[in-house]
Amino acid sequence: LHHIDPKLFVPELRPYHDGIGQGSWYRDPSIPAYLKQRLALGVHRGIGEFHLNAPEHALSNVLAEVARLAIKHAIPLHIHSDVAPIRVLLDFYPTLKILWAHAGFTEGADVVGEMLDRYDRLWTEVSYRAGDIAPNGIDPQWRALLVRHADRFMIGSDTWTGSRWDEYTELIAEHRAWLSELPADVARAIAHENAERLY
């Protein structure tokens, strides 16, 4: 897709490959060399999305090398995790940029807000979260948070499997519904401007 239209498709580099998946990648010593080789192509604008299932996983030697690679290339890590691994990484690497997948997936607006207040190099995307943000119209707590940090939220579709592509129109329509309840400049930033700036 990037070769077809490099302005429209911006690739990230996922560490999973050759049977190395989400349960083991962070401790596999082959990962840094693999990432370095692929980053040398010069087309990837982030590393991820990858999973961290416990805060101690963020302290692995492999993660240390991955974080240093991201800092060197000035690209974000796109991380699927709850709040604890994100805190660990941002406390250890204050110049690291992180895109937090799904705003933590189950974290409430209060937790997401506390993280964005504390870490100015944290962004978040909200795929899978439309039902939390706007269960029946936009939730007031989420609305206040989206406006307060309008420069660090972005929508997402998370088309990780074929069925999600089949639902793409509906996924984007869900985002458009709650974005329509925000001020126009905030909605525009979250819809596309923040992603363009980050990547």
Side-chain angles (χ1 to χ4, degrees), residues 23-183:
S24 62
W25 78 271
Y26 60 88
R27 61 177 184 264
D28 191 296
S30 72
I31 293 296
Y34 170 76
L35 294 177
K36 284 178 192 174
Q37 178 188 30
R38 301 291 291 168
L39 287 171
L41 298 172
V43 298
H44 299 96
R45 297 293 177 258
I47 299 174
E49 174 189 355
F50 59 76
H51 297 72
L52 289 175
N53 298 320
E56 58 268 25
H57 298 171
L59 296 171
S60 73
N61 292 334
V62 170
L63 244 297
E65 291 194 59
V66 172
R68 285 192 290 268
L69 269 175
I71 293 166
K72 177 184 175 183
H73 289 271
I75 57 177
L77 297 183
H78 187 179
I79 304 174
H80 180 133
S81 75
D82 64 20
V83 70
I86 303 296
R87 280 197 182 113
V88 167
L89 284 168
L90 289 171
D91 286 341
F92 267 74
Y93 305 100
T95 61
L96 180 66
K97 290 189 249 183
I98 290 180
L99 175 60
W100 192 12
H102 323 299
F105 211 86
T106 58
E107 308 291 0
D110 56 338
V111 173
V112 177
E114 183 271 324
M115 292 293 287
L116 291 169
D117 290 343
R118 181 172 175 180
Y119 301 107
D120 63 2
R121 297 181 73 79
L122 177 65
W123 286 259
T124 189
E125 56 89 356
V126 291
S127 57
Y128 281 99
R129 299 305 301 269
D132 298 317
I133 292 170
N136 290 295
I138 198 163
D139 174 83
Q141 192 175 11
W142 275 102
R143 185 185 199 286
L145 174 57
L146 291 161
V147 170
R148 186 167 89 241
H149 287 294
D151 60 335
R152 287 192 282 142
F153 276 96
M154 60 192 74
I155 65 164
S157 57
D158 198 2
T159 49
W160 63 277
T161 187
S163 63
R164 295 282 289 179
W165 281 108
D166 294 338
E167 300 164 5
Y168 186 81
T169 301
E170 291 78 12
L171 296 173
I172 299 305
E174 288 178 346
H175 287 315
R176 286 179 172 154
W178 60 262
L179 285 169
S180 71
E181 298 185 50
L182 295 171

